[in-house]
Amino acid sequence: MFYKPKKAIHTPISRRKFLELGGAGATMLGAGSLAVGLNSTIMSTRVQAASSEEAKWRQYAGSKLVFLSENTPPSFAIRENIQSFYEKTGIEVEILTDDLPVVQQKAGIDLRSGKSDYTLNYVQDKPIGAPFADFYVDLSTMFGDDTLPQDPEGYGDGAWFENFLSACGRFYAEDKIIALPYDAAVACTFYRQDLFEAHTKDFEAEYGYRLEFNEETTWKQVLDIAKFFKAMKEGGADVPYGYAQHQGSFAWTTQLDIQRMMFSHGQWIDFPIDDKLGSKRPGPTNWGDEQSVLMLEKFKELGDASHPDNLANGTLELNTVYQSGNIAMQVQYHEFAASVENPETSVASGGRTAYAPCPKGDADWNLTGGPLVNGTNCGIGGIGINANASEDMQRAAYLFAIWSTSNQIQYDVLAGLGGTPTRKSVLEREDVKAAQQRPTNMPNALTFDAVYNHGIKDPHFVLGPKIPEANEYHSILASETQQMLSGQKSPAETAAAMKEQFDYLNDV
């Protein structure tokens, strides 16, 4: 499904096994323009509130912008459609793409140095937004500006799926919006429905309930399923392992993996702060309490029952293990359905995979007294504008930000590349409604009920912690839990070590 676009500027590199983008190279624009940053240029024609809509879109014709983005499906789709933006505005956009950790480093250096080599940034919620929120333009100052074009659907919370604008746009303050939702990866459960049906009688004989998965299935039952398949596998049966976790080298997805289980049981969170806004001073961590120790014990049990390469399976690797038929279930991000449903690469395609919300908390594992929910987290990437850029450069960048997050571009991402939309209106299209049932030509739409109608909604949605030291926090949590999973530390020792390090990190 994914292919190199015609007239591509960049040499391909991979991310999520979906896209092949990257590289460099372009020429400066027009004589008499002001050069800034990485071959950026700005040219402007004054417009008034009474100017035509066309004039507002073309007021920066002859300019050039640089967009630094993670190599995600929307970036690929925009590259395919960039000619239409140029024709509409006269603005050339060079899109530089790379893996998220590289984008985070490059953006951080540019923002903190006072430069604007990358006028537009991919603002992934915690890895980029949390540490660098103060360096981005407050987009709300341009909402409603009558000298700029405006999206007819607007930019309020109601234009996007629930919680999306807060996820990538709001940091530490309610009234400032630093990014518009552009890219969505929301967790849900992928499971081999064919294998569950084939083995339900044996499972029910041993555990006393049917082998099935729905929104009421708990983490305790996931552990039962993992143990059941592992025992069959080790007994010589021709079956896969039941489950595997997100470990590997990408610390953030390891953190998200355990966060889902923690939040499901009483909505436990790491710090006593507003989960959606975050805090620059989060205070003492909740790690080390009885609930966190119990959850680590259960997380270790689940790890012990998982695929033997559990510690090596990052997000990409885990999905490959599932597609290869080596596990019967994964909690994965909904954008991966497109690859799972590809019959050329996946033995889990063709109706073998079903999709459901993330597992629910189990009463026997809940010491908090709080509600049991289907703890669901995400990575919501937004498009933000570097506040170091000149006012005219910021305004030109705004044109690209609203165009690239419009209904039409979000639809193009879904229909053409297997992406995942951020605007609610995309799901109102009749062909998108139809695509949510098999047979479908938009395989990611098979996840939409589990994700958009359930997981992203309160009380199931968990986002944070949004803290300035988010990346250091992710690294500490991943390192400590992986040591626990490998038997180097007990769950209690792990919880205590995380408390000590997190409190030190946040000057407690």
Side-chain angles (χ1 to χ4, degrees):
M1 177 178 286
F2 302 104
Y3 56 93
K4 184 178 178 180
K6 298 176 181 178
K7 301 180 182 179
I9 294 174
H10 306 297
T11 301
I13 60 174
S14 65
R15 182 265 193 187
R16 297 180 184 170
K17 308 287 185 183
F18 288 147
L19 304 176
E20 301 273 332
L21 296 173
T27 57
M28 291 289 290
L29 292 178
S33 60
L34 173 64
V36 295
L38 286 172
N39 293 341
S40 299
T41 56
I42 186 69
M43 298 183 72
S44 65
T45 301
R46 186 176 179 85
V47 298
Q48 306 291 339
S51 298
S52 68
E53 192 73 4
E54 180 183 7
K56 292 176 184 178
W57 276 107
R58 295 192 64 82
Q59 63 185 291
Y60 294 104
S63 299
K64 177 184 173 183
L65 303 172
V66 178
F67 175 31
L68 177 64
S69 180
E70 186 184 9
N71 40 8
T72 63
S75 300
F76 194 86
I78 285 175
R79 286 280 296 281
E80 287 285 84
N81 288 277
I82 201 65
Q83 182 65 25
S84 65
F85 179 74
Y86 178 76
E87 291 171 355
K88 188 178 186 70
T89 65
I91 300 171
E92 181 182 349
V93 179
E94 182 176 7
I95 303 175
L96 305 176
T97 63
D98 216 318
D99 293 332
L100 182 60
V102 177
V103 172
Q104 191 265 349
Q105 292 173 352
K106 288 181 177 180
I109 292 171
D110 193 44
L111 295 163
R112 286 177 167 162
S113 68
K115 297 181 179 180
S116 57
D117 286 339
Y118 311 113
T119 312
L120 290 147
N121 284 185
Y122 178 85
V123 182
Q124 183 61 268
D125 44 37
K126 278 84 68 182
I128 296 177
F132 306 132
D134 292 343
F135 296 93
Y136 288 107
V137 171
D138 181 1
L139 298 179
S140 67
T141 62
M142 299 189 208
F143 298 161
D145 185 331
D146 54 15
T147 65
L148 290 167
Q150 302 292 330
D151 194 293
E153 295 182 8
Y155 313 99
D157 290 274
W160 319 96
F161 291 111
E162 189 169 338
N163 289 312
F164 275 25
L165 187 60
S166 289
C168 71
R170 293 188 176 99
F171 293 83
Y172 316 127
E174 185 72 36
D175 56 352
K176 181 180 179 181
I177 303 295
I178 70 164
L180 296 179
Y182 165 72
D183 182 17
V186 181
C188 64
T189 303
F190 295 39
Y191 68 98
R192 287 287 300 274
Q193 185 171 238
D194 58 329
L195 296 176
F196 278 38
E197 292 174 353
H199 299 288
T200 186
K201 289 184 179 180
D202 290 337
F203 180 86
E204 188 172 1
E206 183 172 352
Y207 289 93
Y209 62 93
R210 285 186 54 80
L211 179 53
E212 59 186 3
F213 200 102
N214 55 50
E215 66 186 52
E216 296 300 322
T217 301
T218 71
W219 280 106
K220 183 179 180 181
Q221 290 169 331
V222 170
L223 179 57
D224 288 345
I225 295 168
K227 289 179 176 179
F228 172 74
F229 275 101
K230 182 179 180 181
M232 289 183 66
K233 180 78 171 178
E234 293 180 343
D238 184 17
V239 296
Y241 287 90
Y243 192 75
Q245 298 166 332
H246 289 76
Q247 301 299 325
S249 61
F250 196 12
W252 180 36
T253 54
T254 298
Q255 180 265 328
L256 291 171
D257 204 47
I258 191 168
Q259 181 185 50
R260 288 188 286 272
M261 181 185 284
M262 304 292 295
F263 189 77
S264 296
H265 296 86
Q267 297 181 308
W268 187 98
I269 56 176
D270 306 66
F271 301 94
I273 60 176
D274 185 313
D275 181 62
K276 295 173 186 174
L277 286 182
S279 174
K280 293 183 178 180
R281 296 185 177 276
T285 182
N286 291 323
W287 282 101
D289 66 8
E290 289 184 342
Q291 183 65 38
S292 66
V293 174
L294 175 62
M295 286 294 92
L296 287 178
E297 290 173 353
K298 300 306 180 183
F299 195 71
K300 174 67 163 61
E301 282 189 56
L302 187 56
D304 290 343
S306 291
H307 188 278
D309 293 335
N310 195 49
L311 284 172
N313 291 325
T315 303
L316 290 173
E317 294 83 3
L318 177 59
N319 194 56
T320 299
V321 170
Y322 181 82
Q323 287 185 186
S324 301
N326 291 312
I327 53 174
M329 177 171 50
Q330 63 172 344
V331 176
Q332 187 58 274
Y333 301 97
H334 75 307
E335 64 181 351
F336 282 95
S339 60
V340 166
E341 296 295 335
N342 183 351
E344 296 181 4
T345 60
S346 174
V347 302
S349 64
R352 297 179 182 88
T353 294
Y355 305 92
C358 294
K360 191 173 184 178
D362 193 283
D364 292 343
W365 292 6
N366 186 20
L367 304 178
T368 70
L372 301 171
V373 299
N374 300 90
T376 304
N377 49 20
C378 64
I380 306 297
I383 291 187
I385 300 172
N386 188 330
N388 299 326
S390 68
E391 181 180 356
D392 277 330
M393 187 64 75
Q394 292 176 18
R395 286 169 57 89
Y398 179 78
L399 301 182
F400 180 77
I402 65 171
W403 175 83
S404 58
T405 58
S406 65
N407 174 291
Q408 185 60 50
I409 293 299
Q410 291 288 304
Y411 172 78
D412 290 344
V413 173
L414 170 64
L417 300 168
T420 50
T422 58
R423 279 196 176 269
K424 286 198 301 187
S425 59
V426 175
L427 265 66
E428 296 171 5
R429 296 182 180 227
E430 292 303 317
D431 59 341
V432 177
K433 292 178 182 177
Q436 295 178 47
Q437 305 294 326
R438 299 180 188 277
T440 181
N441 60 354
M442 302 178 194
N444 281 345
L446 296 172
T447 68
F448 287 176
D449 182 56
V451 168
Y452 295 132
N453 295 333
H454 193 92
I456 63 169
K457 295 180 178 294
D458 297 327
H460 309 290
F461 187 75
V462 57
L463 183 63
K466 282 182 173 178
I467 58 177
E469 297 80 13
N471 292 298
E472 293 85 349
Y473 157 81
H474 297 151
S475 296
I476 291 169
L477 189 146
S479 175
E480 291 295 331
T481 55
Q482 287 168 358
Q483 289 181 63
M484 178 193 72
L485 290 172
S486 63
Q488 299 176 50
K489 289 183 178 180
S490 70
E493 291 170 336
T494 301
M498 285 197 284
K499 177 173 178 56
E500 180 180 3
Q501 293 176 76
F502 293 154
D503 284 350
Y504 178 81
L505 182 68
N506 293 298
D507 296 323
V508 175

